[in-house]
Amino acid sequence: MYLHIDCNTFFASCEVATREGLAGKPVVVANDNENGGGIILALTPEAKALGLKRGIPMFQVRSLLKLNDVVVCQVDHKKYRRISHQIMEAVQQQEIVQDFIQYSVDEFFGTLPLDDPGEMRFYTKKVKDLIAYSTGIPVSCGCSQSYTLAKVATHYAKRYKGYEGICVLMPESRQKALSMLEIADVWGIGRKYRKKLTDNGILTAQDFVECDEKVVSRLMSTTGLRTWQELQGIPCIDLHRPDRQQSISQSRTFAYMTDSCDTLEHAIRTFVADCAAKLRKQHSVCNSVGVFLSTNRHREDLAQYRNGASRRLPSPTADTPTLTKTAVAILNELYRRGFQYKQAGVVLSEISEEEGLQLNLFTEPEDERHRKLMKVADEINKKFGDDTVNFLK
């Protein structure tokens, strides 16, 4: 059976787990900024009990936060990625879950070679308890006959206390579970298709399952057909072979504006390192590097500047130092003194497969030592967390 693990209010749980004295208190994680803006990104159950919700602008609830002594934590993605890696490492060392894979920073999938629901629950609880013991992060778990159905099971594990964080969804309970699940809550049904399906009277997951295959094919893409099959208990999603991205980008809207070129360069180097790691993960190389900068367009009292540029490489590569050198050179061309910068980003494009790489007649193959260095760096960062090995300078 397939197992899905979802960390509960992950950002907030990370803050509670790593900062003394926060357990049992109302805590919110927000991307608070210099202008008093930003939104709530995550919150503990105690904060939810006050009527706070994810996505609420901070300026609307400042008085409520102060009145109830709510602890506000600035979002720290580096910390959350590190704890996510710790979860991966702990579960892999336990050697109960097979084919364990990180789907996102707070979601994981795997398999257990079991069919008995009692055994599934027993061993899933061992995994759940291990994560709580080793990282302090509470999780909800779902088990079923496919990845998508396992996600459905987790949906109910989160919402009904009687499950105690673990729901094993067997075939005999599938129809009832899918009949209670709105189509918008089905994994794989994106915003693009939700309205189209509801307009055609498909309101629940069970409505979707009962559709004729030709109707699903007409309304949706191949992805929709896979979701349709998965909800029937037919596994057809391979998470170990993600689709190759045609461009990889990373950007950040800074909490506080900066006029420092050094600060911008540090951000650009970090972005390139993350993008290059993703590039290598999908066994690809890129032939173009782009960088962009922008001031705060909402600050009409300040001078405005926005610019971007890209540069083709002598030969396609996934080498972090090579890509960083190019990106920093572009940054130095774009940077202008006298402006307060609010946003910066990097884009790697013209991506192709690493295998079968067509080299330019006038260029040499990429130094094999660089490839080995990148491989070792990726393995160390995977085991011990992002930025354990970096190329920021």
Side-chain angles (χ1 to χ4, degrees):
M1 292 183 75
Y2 292 84
L3 169 68
H4 174 242
I5 299 173
D6 192 5
C7 301
N8 300 339
T9 60
F10 185 55
F11 292 179
S13 294
C14 288
E15 298 298 337
V16 172
T18 57
R19 296 172 60 176
E20 291 185 9
L22 294 188
K25 292 185 178 180
V27 177
V28 302
V29 176
N31 56 343
D32 223 0
N33 61 41
E34 60 195 356
N35 298 317
I39 63 172
I40 294 176
L41 301 174
L43 59 169
T44 59
E46 292 81 5
K48 291 179 181 178
L50 299 174
L52 297 169
K53 295 181 180 179
R54 190 171 62 177
I56 293 179
M58 288 292 288
F59 74 87
Q60 291 185 1
V61 291
R62 293 259 179 220
S63 58
L64 180 62
L65 297 173
K66 186 176 181 179
L67 180 65
N68 292 278
D69 294 323
V70 178
V71 179
V72 178
C73 302
Q74 183 71 19
V75 63
D76 185 349
H77 292 289
K78 186 180 294 186
K79 176 194 292 186
Y80 310 147
R81 289 196 299 268
R82 184 181 72 249
I83 293 175
S84 183
H85 282 300
Q86 290 173 357
I87 293 173
M88 280 288 297
E89 187 74 10
V91 175
Q92 288 172 336
Q93 289 180 355
Q94 190 183 37
E95 296 185 341
I96 288 179
V97 182
Q98 299 180 4
D99 302 316
F100 194 57
I101 186 172
Q102 181 184 38
Y103 179 71
S104 66
V105 71
D106 62 344
E107 283 188 89
F108 308 85
F109 284 100
T111 60
L112 289 172
L114 302 167
D115 294 318
D116 181 77
E119 289 186 339
M120 280 294 298
R121 185 174 184 86
F122 176 80
Y123 285 105
T124 299
K125 187 176 186 303
K126 282 185 173 292
V127 177
K128 182 177 185 294
D129 290 346
L130 172 71
I131 294 172
Y133 175 76
S134 60
T135 66
I137 305 301
V139 300
S140 297
C141 305
C143 311
S144 198
Q145 284 74 36
S146 69
Y147 284 131
T148 304
L149 285 173
K151 284 268 287 186
V152 172
T154 304
H155 172 87
Y156 289 109
K158 280 179 171 287
R159 283 157 181 78
Y160 293 95
K161 292 184 178 180
Y163 285 119
E164 298 181 337
I166 301 173
C167 175
V168 180
L169 181 59
M170 300 301 289
E172 56 268 26
S173 305
R174 186 190 307 157
Q175 182 174 348
K176 181 179 179 181
L178 297 183
S179 297
M180 297 168 58
L181 186 68
E182 294 183 10
I183 192 64
D185 292 328
V186 175
W187 183 47
I189 304 295
R191 185 180 302 175
K192 176 181 177 183
Y193 294 111
R194 290 172 189 170
K195 187 175 187 305
K196 185 181 291 187
L197 292 172
T198 55
D199 287 347
N200 281 269
I202 303 169
L203 306 180
T204 68
Q206 184 60 28
D207 293 337
F208 185 63
V209 167
E210 293 174 355
C211 283
D212 186 89
E213 183 176 357
K214 293 181 179 178
V215 174
V216 176
S217 181
R218 175 174 57 84
L219 293 175
M220 303 181 68
S221 63
T222 304
T223 302
L225 282 172
R226 284 202 294 264
T227 300
W228 180 72
Q229 290 179 304
E230 286 258 326
L231 288 174
Q232 297 175 65
I234 304 171
C236 57
I237 293 177
D238 186 357
L239 296 179
H240 295 272
R241 293 184 180 180
D243 294 335
R244 180 174 284 104
Q245 294 179 252
Q246 298 305 306
S247 68
I248 297 175
S249 63
Q250 188 168 109
S251 63
R252 181 183 304 156
T253 299
F254 305 119
Y256 297 93
M257 295 182 289
T258 180
D259 61 358
S260 168
C261 189
D262 289 342
T263 299
L264 292 171
E265 180 178 327
H266 185 275
I268 292 298
R269 287 177 177 272
T270 302
F271 298 159
V272 172
D274 289 346
C275 290
K278 292 178 183 178
L279 192 66
R280 293 189 294 271
K281 187 175 182 180
Q282 65 175 31
H283 305 292
S284 298
V285 290
C286 75
N287 202 29
S288 179
V289 179
V291 175
F292 63 87
L293 298 172
S294 177
T295 55
N296 189 346
R297 62 186 179 86
H298 299 292
R299 289 292 301 272
E300 297 180 358
D301 58 316
L302 298 176
Q304 297 293 312
Y305 174 71
R306 181 182 179 88
N307 204 352
S310 60
R311 182 177 296 178
R312 286 181 62 83
L313 300 166
S315 61
T317 184
D319 180 60
T320 297
T322 300
L323 296 172
T324 300
K325 182 179 179 181
T326 303
V328 170
I330 297 172
L331 170 66
N332 290 331
E333 293 177 1
L334 297 177
Y335 177 75
R336 298 290 184 272
R337 293 182 181 276
F339 293 97
Q340 294 289 327
Y341 294 95
K342 184 67 174 175
Q343 187 180 44
V346 167
V347 181
L348 305 184
S349 56
E350 297 187 43
I351 292 175
S352 57
E353 292 186 30
E354 184 179 32
E355 296 180 2
L357 179 63
Q358 298 296 315
L359 296 173
N360 187 295
L361 178 64
F362 304 103
T363 60
E364 294 294 327
E366 187 174 38
D367 192 332
E368 185 62 23
R369 290 176 300 174
H370 282 204
R371 292 178 185 271
K372 291 180 179 179
L373 176 62
M374 293 299 99
K375 182 178 180 181
V376 170
D378 290 341
E379 289 175 351
I380 292 174
N381 286 336
K382 181 179 180 181
K383 184 173 183 179
F384 297 104
D386 292 351
D387 294 334
T388 302
V389 176
N390 62 59
F391 302 88
L392 298 184
K393 281 294 181 185

